[in-house]
Amino acid sequence: MASTTPTPEITGTRPDQLTLDVVELIGEVVARFHEDYESAAAEHALTGAQARLLSLLCLEPLPMRRLAQQLKCEPSNVTGIVDRLEARGLVERQPNPADRRVKVAAATAQGRQVARSLRESLRFAREPLAGLAEEERVALRDTLRRMLG
């Protein structure tokens, strides 16, 4: 049965202790994930920004401006990151099929392989998640999806 208790955002009151505990734990999870991600990227001779950009490009080719928006940085920074990944054969520039005046960056086969290897080398949470029952992992996944909206 769904709870009818108003959330702190709706009532304008201070969050309860449980909410504060959850927020603190989410912050710790995020910090540990970033630490592990940076370490995994370094094992593949990538910076964290290069690894994030490569992961984005494995989903779909993107123009520089859109990459900058996704990474929350200036387009000139993205150009430098793409240049370095292109020099390693992990990314290539291609004409945008919708507008041939615009170039998009796309992961190469080698880039997709490196991104997959990086994802598989992330150690954070693998063991703790394996210690949860499947229904607990499903509930956690579904709760996180609801939080992200």
Side-chain angles (χ1 to χ4, degrees):
M1 176 176 224
S3 171
T4 58
T5 306
T7 62
E9 295 75 29
I10 294 172
T11 64
T13 61
R14 291 178 46 122
D16 59 77
Q17 188 58 49
L18 177 59
T19 300
L20 293 173
D21 290 347
V22 170
V23 168
E24 186 174 315
L25 288 167
I26 289 171
E28 189 171 331
V29 166
V30 168
R32 287 186 185 183
F33 174 80
H34 281 295
E35 183 179 305
D36 190 36
Y37 195 85
E38 294 288 328
S39 176
E43 289 174 14
H44 291 82
L46 297 169
T47 66
Q50 289 171 336
R52 284 188 295 280
L53 187 142
L54 187 57
S55 293
L56 284 171
L57 294 180
C58 285
L59 300 174
E60 65 179 322
L62 293 168
M64 301 297 186
R65 190 167 305 283
R66 181 100 177 275
L67 282 167
Q69 290 169 342
Q70 294 281 336
L71 295 173
K72 296 175 181 29
C73 68
E74 293 297 316
S76 59
N77 291 348
V78 170
T79 300
I81 295 169
V82 169
D83 287 346
R84 287 186 286 286
L85 292 173
E86 190 173 37
R88 289 185 53 189
L90 303 177
V91 167
E92 62 186 0
R93 287 176 169 88
Q94 303 171 341
N96 185 340
D99 182 351
R100 298 193 65 77
R101 297 169 296 171
V102 176
K103 295 278 188 193
V104 295
T108 63
Q110 182 184 357
R112 288 188 296 278
Q113 181 181 0
V114 168
R116 185 173 32 260
S117 175
L118 188 144
R119 238 183 352 267
E120 290 169 357
S121 70
L122 291 173
R123 290 173 288 282
F124 171 71
R126 187 177 296 158
E127 195 172 305
L129 285 173
L132 297 177
E134 182 177 357
E135 58 271 5
E136 291 173 308
R137 291 193 314 266
V138 168
L140 178 58
R141 180 201 62 201
D142 294 347
T143 301
L144 292 170
R145 283 181 176 163
R146 279 195 3 241
M147 286 182 68
L148 294 172

